[in-house]
Amino acid sequence: MAEIQWNKLGAYLKETQILGSIQNTLYWDQNTGMPKKGASWRSEQLTYIAKILHRRNSSEEFYNLIQSAKNELLDTEQNSNNQLFIKDKERNINLLIKEFNRAKNLDPKLVESLAKAKSKGYESWQEAKKKSDFKVFLPFFEELVKLRIEEAKQISDQYLPWETLAQPFEPEITLKWLNKMFQPLKDTLPELIKGISKSKKYHWDLSPASQQILCSKLLDEFGRDKDLVVVGKSPHPFSITLGPNDYRITTRIVEGEPLSSFLATAHEWGHSIYEQGLPSQSHQWFAWPLGQATSMGIHESQSLFWENRIVKSKSFSKRFFKKFVSAGCTLNNYFELWKSINHLEAGLNRVEADELTYGLHILVRTELEIDLIEGGLPAEDIPEAWNKRYGELLGIKPSNDSEGCLQDVHWSEGAFGYFPSYLLGHLISAQISSQMERDIGSTDDLIQNGEYQKIIFWLRNNVHKYGRSVNSMELVRAVTNEELTPNYFINHLKSKINDFC
Amino acid sequence: MAEIQWNKLGAYLKETQILGSIQNTLYWDQNTGMPKKGASWRSEQLTYIAKILHRRNSSEEFYNLIQSAKNELLDTEQNSNNQLFIKDKERNINLLIKEFNRAKNLDPKLVESLAKAKSKGYESWQEAKKKSDFKVFLPFFEELVKLRIEEAKQISDQYLPWETLAQPFEPEITLKWLNKMFQPLKDTLPELIKGISKSKKYHWDLSPASQQILCSKLLDEFGRDKDLVVVGKSPHPFSITLGPNDYRITTRIVEGEPLSSFLATAHEWGHSIYEQGLPSQSHQWFAWPLGQATSMGIHESQSLFWENRIVKSKSFSKRFFKKFVSAGCTLNNYFELWKSINHLEAGLNRVEADELTYGLHILVRTELEIDLIEGGLPAEDIPEAWNKRYGELLGIKPSNDSEGCLQDVHWSEGAFGYFPSYLLGHLISAQISSQMERDIGSTDDLIQNGEYQKIIFWLRNNVHKYGRSVNSMELVRAVTNEELTPNYFINHLKSKINDFC
């Protein structure tokens, strides 16, 4: 079977991927190593790469390569006896066409303005957060909102702007569908919170050095290959892939929160192990769409799985308690550690939130950004609207913008439509975990026996290895034999509260 | 004064500089953070950037931009009342033309063969060094020598091949001139070594953590701005500039050598503070030739200054001794610390060598590579010739190739002509330091009073700020009012030995 055009397209995609991975390397360094004063030159580097990438992704040359590969594929289709592989190839082509159109529709000037606005947004957000002053960030935020709405309009008139912006994270998402998923949560979660007032808070702490050692032991426990996965520190934990064999995760130490870095490490490990399991691993699809994560909801389901299903389980506390004691933990027994890890309390901080209140954080942010993009909410009203909704949904109010609307990085880079993925991830994780237990037994038992590789094997074969060959909802259906529903998550929360109070 | 063409050329150079600084960022990450398995993808990224850079630096577009800017400059020259600025501009243009011709004269096939030979040379050298077997490296080394001679011939018929290869590091260098500098050293240093047998070796060590703290305190002492200069760890210490306000240095811990990381930190600081003082600082010339270091000899003179003139001085030991004691140093007094830092002993390893024997390492390597390129010395005879010359000059012989002719990376990448810069740096540093003392008083006094900023101010104004507006020998003449001579360095060594024995 001749694959001349196909290979030409592959070579083009590889160069694009090289540039993309360079962009990721610059981002990694920006967040883990770069001196502060390097920011403005870094922004010039990133703008430059973004410009070349956009040019490549919307060039006539690229379009012609896709078309030629498509025609070649159509020609060989009839004679091939490997229809499964042909189907994958077709899907690659279709996704490329879809993304090409997305890029092609954008005015290159807008792309450049956006890159600059993101970088300035991020910079001013850092300062605003430090000073706890939303006004420092406001003009750059307004610019970002304006430019991203403009972007959405250039891309599609079929979807609402917010939907268009959210679709790179969750393909084909609509407000109507999202509402169907989230409304039951909005109806249930605030009620459930009222039941958690009795969850005892244990007061203890660990030195930064001890926390770092524990994080390292956690990754050893999960089977991290040090020649493949590197750990750094950054203001906001993240996971990123810099090459087919180059994975990075970061964590941060939060004073007075001895479990924060530990849970973040488990979370980012989940992201990373998903990326490691993508079909890119073999280089087969690394430069192709099928080598990518199918959606951020699925991505988050994987990180939340390791954070909530593994590290927050009773058997994990039992297994790891001695290591915590060696690190200086003053709790009396593993049960206290488990209660401490699972402490439920409505707090102001999303990243530090427990499983139950986490969803409410997301509901607030999602509603706010939909109002910003679709409902005409002025950016300057964000602090007030934020505080009001926190009062309504969580029953608490931030005392300043830094612990309120400035806490998260996403909006500072104009990433609207991302937040729902976190909560969708909870839903997906709950539904998929339930299937995993039916397939290979209770998670508690597996952890007790240290059978992490069995878990990873199941995840690889049922979730990771598909990449973008199926979309997220198809994947959920394929793994669990039903449509995504919030019920598994709600039931999980109810049972956790029962366990506790 | 219209600067239309000039600014167009500037914009082109800026894009080139952005790419160059991205290359540097990838190199930095490769050496300080990248997981081992990321190596092969990183090499693809670097090859890609190198390809684009070479294309930009030898393109017709670039040539035309230079010519247009040159013509515009000639037109405006007569009317300008700022002849100094015009002179700088002319020099920028001339350096660009010189480098363009160097790139342009090369057969692209040779460029490709060289890139491959370098990569194979490096690979086989690593294996050869591990096995301590020069024969593993030999065929690739022979190929490198052959190709680089071919390269030199394509570039210039005005200079000898070795001279042409050395000129990117030391512009306009000739063998005749080099011999004038080095022969007095060859005549003197072996004699001096005989006098150092009484230099006592102190046995002590520091934990890696303590060494790290001391390095950090050293940089604080020198006035490092943490928002500008970041420190990392790497297998070989280096200094690199990633942007006009983004400087990085690395160090490494060597077991049993408590001062190795400390001296390396001072050394790399010297490189970095030179780069920080270049006229690029103001963005004025950052993308232009004048924003660059004028030669590797000058660069090394700056690193050697901080390593040898500052940290190896008596007053520095006096000032820093308490900090060493806090870090766990078991020496009895600052005088022992000073003796320990200045311990003189003929050893086999260049990087760990003292001020006196260091020069001999360089003489051996320089003579050998000149014989290879100009004297018809067969590559296969290198191990024997190496060992013979070590016996003659240093009075010791390596027991195997790994600690002998395979110890350094330079030749494995075909970098001939680089070694002399290290020794020229010693000569320049000695001569310039002497002038500095005449201008602002004894270095010992300045250190005693912690007046590092006064030293930096002098270096900035007399050395750093000139960038490539003068070449290295012009710079030495301008600063010291005489031609470069080895006498200052020889006198410095003699006085150090007198102090000691």
Side-chain angles (χ1 to χ4, degrees):
Chain A
M1 183 168 67
E3 293 188 317
I4 298 164
Q5 299 307 322
W6 184 263
N7 290 335
K8 273 191 192 165
L9 175 58
Y12 190 90
L13 288 173
K14 192 182 165 186
E15 267 197 25
T16 306
Q17 186 71 325
I18 284 175
L19 277 162
S21 67
I22 287 173
Q23 192 176 40
N24 284 359
T25 310
L26 294 171
Y27 180 85
W28 162 265
D29 178 77
Q30 182 176 36
N31 285 282
T32 59
M34 188 186 77
K36 265 189 203 156
K37 292 181 179 171
S40 118
W41 186 256
R42 180 56 46 89
S43 137
E44 304 227 32
Q45 295 174 321
L46 287 169
T47 306
Y48 179 75
I49 299 269
K51 208 173 67 187
I52 309 184
L53 271 174
H54 179 256
R55 205 185 295 149
R56 287 186 72 80
N57 288 333
S58 56
S59 75
E60 210 180 311
E61 183 190 356
F62 185 33
Y63 178 78
N64 293 335
L65 283 168
I66 300 173
Q67 291 306 326
S68 302
K70 188 180 171 181
N71 293 337
E72 187 185 69
L73 190 61
L74 289 172
D75 285 349
T76 51
E77 225 166 23
Q78 291 103 2
N79 319 323
S80 170
N81 44 18
N82 189 346
Q83 286 302 321
L84 212 65
F85 193 57
I86 292 285
K87 219 187 113 210
D88 276 351
K89 283 187 154 189
E90 270 178 9
R91 172 121 177 132
N92 266 314
I93 293 283
N94 291 339
L95 289 167
L96 286 172
I97 292 174
K98 191 174 153 190
E99 266 148 40
F100 179 84
N101 289 335
R102 214 180 147 100
K104 189 66 198 171
N105 288 337
L106 286 183
D107 178 357
K109 274 186 202 151
L110 179 69
V111 175
E112 213 178 312
S113 308
L114 259 167
K116 275 186 199 148
K118 282 177 189 183
S119 153
K120 280 184 186 159
Y122 179 71
E123 220 176 300
S124 64
W125 167 75
Q126 284 186 306
E127 197 196 330
K129 191 174 177 182
K130 207 170 165 185
K131 295 183 178 162
S132 191
D133 185 358
F134 184 77
K135 281 196 290 300
V136 172
F137 175 51
L138 181 61
F140 304 97
F141 186 47
E142 279 171 335
E143 177 73 3
L144 272 170
V145 173
K146 197 191 84 189
L147 291 173
R148 294 233 60 198
I149 292 177
E150 173 61 26
E151 184 192 3
K153 286 183 178 161
Q154 285 185 10
I155 292 171
S156 163
D157 48 18
Q158 206 191 329
Y159 290 98
L160 292 171
W162 185 87
E163 293 172 337
T164 301
L165 296 178
Q167 286 179 359
F169 311 120
E170 208 55 47
E172 292 139 59
I173 195 172
T174 61
L175 280 181
K176 194 178 155 197
W177 177 85
L178 188 69
N179 191 49
K180 207 171 86 187
M181 292 298 125
F182 281 7
Q183 193 56 48
L185 297 166
K186 207 180 164 186
D187 294 340
T188 326
L189 300 190
E191 272 309 305
L192 289 180
I193 286 196
K194 292 181 187 153
I196 64 166
S197 53
K198 277 172 280 174
S199 166
K200 183 181 167 190
K201 170 120 187 158
Y202 293 87
H203 294 279
W204 58 291
D205 207 353
L206 290 171
S207 74
S210 291
Q211 289 187 47
Q212 228 173 305
I213 290 167
L214 275 172
C215 290
S216 182
K217 283 185 179 165
L218 177 69
L219 293 173
D220 289 346
E221 169 101 351
F222 290 164
R224 165 196 173 209
D225 173 354
K226 282 183 176 136
D227 292 339
L228 188 71
V229 186
V230 155
V231 184
K233 274 187 242 173
S234 64
H236 191 87
F238 66 95
S239 155
I240 198 166
T241 299
L242 303 192
N245 286 298
D246 187 340
Y247 300 93
R248 317 277 177 111
I249 60 181
T250 72
T251 186
R252 62 164 172 194
I253 307 288
V254 180
E255 222 179 313
E257 297 287 351
L259 291 161
S260 170
S261 62
F262 195 72
L263 288 167
T265 300
H267 184 97
E268 301 309 334
W269 164 261
H271 280 305
S272 188
I273 200 79
Y274 176 34
E275 295 261 323
Q276 291 168 45
L278 288 170
S280 60
Q281 183 68 351
S282 61
H283 252 83
Q284 187 198 341
W285 294 130
F286 186 63
W288 296 83
L290 260 55
Q292 298 162 358
T294 191
S295 86
M296 280 320 296
I298 295 291
H299 229 308
E300 284 301 323
S301 81
Q302 297 308 295
S303 55
L304 293 168
F305 173 83
W306 290 89
E307 182 183 357
N308 293 322
R309 302 296 157 151
I310 304 291
V311 170
K312 288 188 179 167
S313 70
K314 231 180 238 167
S315 55
F316 182 86
S317 280
K318 202 167 176 179
R319 209 176 144 83
F320 237 69
F321 182 62
K322 271 192 191 160
K323 294 194 175 79
F324 270 89
V325 172
S326 308
C329 166
T330 50
L331 296 172
N332 293 308
N333 49 52
Y334 84 86
F335 193 72
E336 285 187 5
L337 177 61
W338 175 70
K339 296 268 267 182
S340 197
I341 293 184
N342 282 282
H343 175 67
L344 301 171
E345 185 180 355
L348 292 164
N349 192 289
R350 178 183 65 84
V351 181
E352 312 296 336
D354 57 71
E355 277 177 285
L356 169 56
T357 58
Y358 191 94
L360 295 168
H361 288 267
I362 299 306
L363 290 174
V364 169
R365 285 155 182 71
T366 303
E367 287 182 2
L368 281 175
E369 63 176 38
I370 292 171
D371 283 358
L372 260 176
I373 309 285
E374 301 298 338
L377 174 72
E380 62 181 327
D381 291 351
I382 280 287
E384 202 193 319
W386 179 288
N387 298 352
K388 187 167 159 276
R389 282 174 215 224
Y390 260 76
E392 286 164 9
L393 285 188
L394 286 109
I396 48 175
K397 276 189 185 187
S399 61
N400 59 51
D401 294 344
S402 176
E403 57 179 38
C405 62
L406 288 171
Q407 70 178 260
D408 275 308
V409 69
H410 309 62
W411 289 348
S412 82
E413 292 166 338
F416 301 112
Y418 191 105
F419 280 122
S421 303
Y422 291 121
L423 189 47
L424 289 172
H426 271 292
L427 270 46
I428 297 167
S429 175
Q431 191 159 331
I432 284 181
S433 301
S434 171
Q435 183 62 43
M436 187 185 84
E437 295 204 314
R438 280 194 293 276
D439 286 356
I440 56 169
S442 96
T443 317
D444 255 318
D445 288 349
L446 291 163
I447 295 169
Q448 195 166 324
N449 301 320
E451 295 185 284
Y452 300 103
Q453 293 316 308
K454 200 168 173 180
I455 293 172
I456 290 174
F457 186 80
W458 188 90
L459 290 171
R460 288 233 155 116
N461 276 296
N462 289 278
V463 183
H464 304 174
K465 76 169 186 192
Y466 292 103
R468 276 175 85 185
S469 64
V470 288
N471 74 23
S472 53
M473 291 309 113
E474 286 166 354
L475 183 63
V476 169
R477 211 181 303 127
V479 180
T480 67
N481 286 312
E482 60 179 318
E483 296 294 324
L484 183 65
T485 146
N487 297 342
Y488 288 92
F489 181 56
I490 292 173
N491 290 339
H492 166 73
L493 290 178
K494 283 182 179 163
S495 111
K496 180 150 269 183
I497 292 170
N498 262 342
D499 246 15
F500 248 72
C501 310
Chain B
M1 182 168 64
E3 293 188 317
I4 297 165
Q5 300 307 324
W6 184 264
N7 290 336
K8 273 192 193 164
L9 175 58
Y12 190 90
L13 289 172
K14 190 180 166 189
E15 268 198 23
T16 306
Q17 186 71 325
I18 285 175
L19 276 163
S21 67
I22 287 173
Q23 192 176 39
N24 284 358
T25 310
L26 294 171
Y27 179 85
W28 162 266
D29 178 77
Q30 181 175 34
N31 285 282
T32 59
M34 188 186 77
K36 265 189 203 157
K37 292 182 179 171
S40 119
W41 186 257
R42 179 57 45 90
S43 137
E44 303 226 33
Q45 294 173 322
L46 287 168
T47 306
Y48 178 76
I49 300 267
K51 206 174 69 186
I52 310 184
L53 272 173
H54 181 256
R55 204 186 294 149
R56 287 186 72 83
N57 287 333
S58 56
S59 74
E60 208 179 312
E61 184 190 356
F62 185 33
Y63 178 79
N64 292 335
L65 283 167
I66 299 173
Q67 290 307 325
S68 303
K70 188 181 171 179
N71 293 336
E72 186 186 69
L73 192 62
L74 290 171
D75 284 351
T76 50
E77 224 164 24
Q78 291 103 3
N79 319 324
S80 170
N81 45 18
N82 190 345
Q83 286 302 321
L84 212 64
F85 193 56
I86 291 284
K87 219 187 114 212
D88 276 350
K89 283 187 153 192
E90 270 177 7
R91 172 126 176 126
N92 266 314
I93 292 283
N94 292 339
L95 288 168
L96 286 172
I97 291 174
K98 192 173 151 191
E99 266 148 40
F100 180 84
N101 288 336
R102 218 181 142 100
K104 194 64 197 170
N105 284 339
L106 287 183
D107 178 357
K109 273 184 204 155
L110 180 70
V111 174
E112 214 179 310
S113 307
L114 259 167
K116 275 184 199 151
K118 283 178 189 181
S119 148
K120 280 183 186 165
Y122 180 70
E123 221 175 293
S124 64
W125 168 74
Q126 284 185 306
E127 198 196 329
K129 190 175 178 183
K130 212 170 165 184
K131 294 183 178 163
S132 190
D133 184 358
F134 184 75
K135 281 195 291 299
V136 172
F137 175 49
L138 181 61
F140 305 97
F141 186 46
E142 280 171 336
E143 177 73 5
L144 270 170
V145 173
K146 197 192 86 189
L147 291 173
R148 294 233 61 197
I149 292 176
E150 173 60 28
E151 183 192 2
K153 286 181 178 163
Q154 285 185 12
I155 292 171
S156 162
D157 47 18
Q158 206 190 329
Y159 289 99
L160 292 171
W162 185 87
E163 292 172 339
T164 301
L165 296 179
Q167 287 179 0
F169 312 118
E170 208 54 48
E172 292 141 60
I173 195 172
T174 61
L175 280 182
K176 194 178 155 197
W177 177 83
L178 188 68
N179 189 50
K180 207 171 85 187
M181 292 299 125
F182 281 6
Q183 192 56 48
L185 297 166
K186 206 180 162 187
D187 295 339
T188 327
L189 300 191
E191 271 310 303
L192 290 179
I193 286 195
K194 293 181 187 154
I196 65 168
S197 53
K198 279 173 280 178
S199 165
K200 182 181 165 187
K201 170 120 188 160
Y202 293 88
H203 294 278
W204 57 291
D205 207 353
L206 290 172
S207 73
S210 291
Q211 289 186 48
Q212 227 173 305
I213 291 167
L214 275 173
C215 290
S216 181
K217 283 185 179 164
L218 177 69
L219 293 172
D220 289 347
E221 170 100 351
F222 290 164
R224 165 195 172 211
D225 174 354
K226 282 185 178 138
D227 292 340
L228 188 71
V229 186
V230 154
V231 184
K233 273 188 245 174
S234 64
H236 291 277
F238 66 95
S239 154
I240 197 166
T241 299
L242 303 192
N245 286 299
D246 187 340
Y247 300 92
R248 317 278 177 112
I249 60 180
T250 73
T251 187
R252 64 164 171 192
I253 306 288
V254 180
E255 221 178 312
E257 298 286 352
L259 291 161
S260 172
S261 62
F262 196 73
L263 287 167
T265 299
H267 185 97
E268 301 310 333
W269 165 261
H271 280 304
S272 188
I273 200 80
Y274 176 33
E275 294 262 321
Q276 290 168 46
L278 288 170
S280 60
Q281 183 68 351
S282 60
H283 252 83
Q284 187 198 342
W285 293 130
F286 186 64
W288 296 82
L290 259 56
Q292 298 161 359
T294 191
S295 85
M296 281 318 297
I298 295 291
H299 229 307
E300 283 301 321
S301 81
Q302 296 309 294
S303 55
L304 292 168
F305 174 83
W306 289 89
E307 182 184 356
N308 293 322
R309 302 296 156 151
I310 304 291
V311 170
K312 288 189 178 168
S313 71
K314 232 180 237 167
S315 55
F316 182 85
S317 280
K318 201 167 176 178
R319 208 176 145 83
F320 236 69
F321 182 64
K322 270 193 191 159
K323 293 196 177 78
F324 269 89
V325 172
S326 309
C329 167
T330 51
L331 295 172
N332 292 309
N333 49 51
Y334 84 85
F335 193 71
E336 285 187 4
L337 177 61
W338 176 69
K339 297 267 266 184
S340 196
I341 294 184
N342 283 282
H343 175 67
L344 302 171
E345 186 181 352
L348 292 164
N349 191 288
R350 179 182 65 84
V351 180
E352 308 294 336
D354 57 72
E355 273 180 288
L356 168 56
T357 59
Y358 192 93
L360 295 169
H361 288 268
I362 299 306
L363 289 175
V364 170
R365 285 155 182 71
T366 303
E367 287 183 2
L368 282 176
E369 64 176 37
I370 292 171
D371 283 357
L372 260 175
I373 309 283
E374 302 298 339
L377 175 72
E380 61 181 329
D381 291 350
I382 281 287
E384 202 192 318
W386 180 287
N387 297 353
K388 188 166 158 273
R389 281 173 216 224
Y390 260 76
E392 288 165 7
L393 286 188
L394 285 110
I396 48 173
K397 276 191 185 186
S399 60
N400 59 51
D401 294 345
S402 177
E403 57 180 39
C405 63
L406 289 171
Q407 72 176 259
D408 274 308
V409 69
H410 310 62
W411 289 347
S412 81
E413 292 166 336
F416 302 111
Y418 192 103
F419 280 122
S421 303
Y422 291 122
L423 187 49
L424 289 172
H426 272 291
L427 270 49
I428 297 166
S429 175
Q431 189 159 332
I432 285 181
S433 301
S434 170
Q435 183 63 43
M436 188 185 85
E437 295 204 313
R438 282 193 292 276
D439 287 356
I440 57 169
S442 96
T443 316
D444 255 319
D445 288 349
L446 291 163
I447 295 170
Q448 195 166 323
N449 301 321
E451 295 186 282
Y452 301 102
Q453 293 316 308
K454 202 167 173 182
I455 293 172
I456 291 174
F457 186 79
W458 188 89
L459 289 171
R460 288 237 154 114
N461 276 297
N462 289 278
V463 182
H464 303 173
K465 76 170 187 193
Y466 293 102
R468 277 175 86 184
S469 65
V470 288
N471 73 23
S472 52
M473 291 310 111
E474 287 167 352
L475 182 63
V476 170
R477 210 181 304 129
V479 180
T480 68
N481 286 313
E482 58 180 319
E483 297 294 324
L484 182 65
T485 147
N487 298 340
Y488 289 92
F489 181 55
I490 292 172
N491 290 338
H492 166 73
L493 290 178
K494 282 184 180 163
S495 109
K496 181 150 271 185
I497 291 169
N498 262 342
D499 247 14
F500 248 71
C501 311

